[in-house]
Amino acid sequence: MHDPKLTHQERKLLDSIEEGLRGDETLDRELRSFGHAPARPGGRWNTVLRRRLGWCTAGLGAVCAALFVIAAVSSSAVPLWCFAAVWVVTAVCLIRLVYVGAAARRRR
């Protein structure tokens, strides 16, 4: 890579920024635990999100089932494409729900 030449003032400014970052203990602690600690701590907010995700996934599953029946009965392309779109969102929500549940079980 091409190493640009910095002026004395720019180098001085960069050194002061780097020195400030080196002295920041909270940033150092966060970077050291980056791969080891969960991104979001557990608690009430996490429980509410998990419960809401479960209800949304269940609702989307019911909508998928209804759209599947409508698409099978009508043999029309519109309900079939709607089913396909809702099914993708449902599958992503279901995968996320399983991932959150497995992470919570691992923490226990």
Side-chain angles (χ1 to χ4, degrees):
M1 292 276 305
H2 182 273
D3 187 24
K5 300 293 180 187
L6 299 175
T7 66
H8 178 70
Q9 183 182 7
E10 290 171 335
R11 194 172 302 121
K12 194 171 149 181
L13 183 64
L14 184 61
D15 287 340
S16 69
I17 291 171
E18 287 176 351
E19 188 63 35
L21 288 174
R22 279 190 205 102
D24 190 1
E25 293 178 11
T26 58
L27 178 64
D28 186 48
R29 204 174 317 124
E30 257 186 61
L31 289 176
R32 286 183 193 274
S33 67
F34 181 66
H36 306 292
R40 285 178 233 136
R44 184 174 180 268
W45 183 247
N46 200 13
T47 304
V48 169
L49 287 178
R50 195 174 333 133
R51 192 172 297 141
R52 186 170 290 162
L53 181 62
W55 281 108
C56 286
T57 306
L60 284 170
V63 170
C64 277
L67 282 172
F68 181 75
V69 169
I70 292 170
V73 170
S74 70
S75 298
S76 176
V78 174
L80 184 62
W81 282 105
C82 289
F83 164 74
V86 173
W87 171 247
V88 170
V89 175
T90 305
V92 169
C93 287
L94 186 60
I95 290 169
R96 177 71 181 147
L97 188 64
V98 168
Y99 176 76
V100 168
R105 191 167 292 123
R106 248 192 330 254
R107 271 181 279 178
R108 280 190 238 144

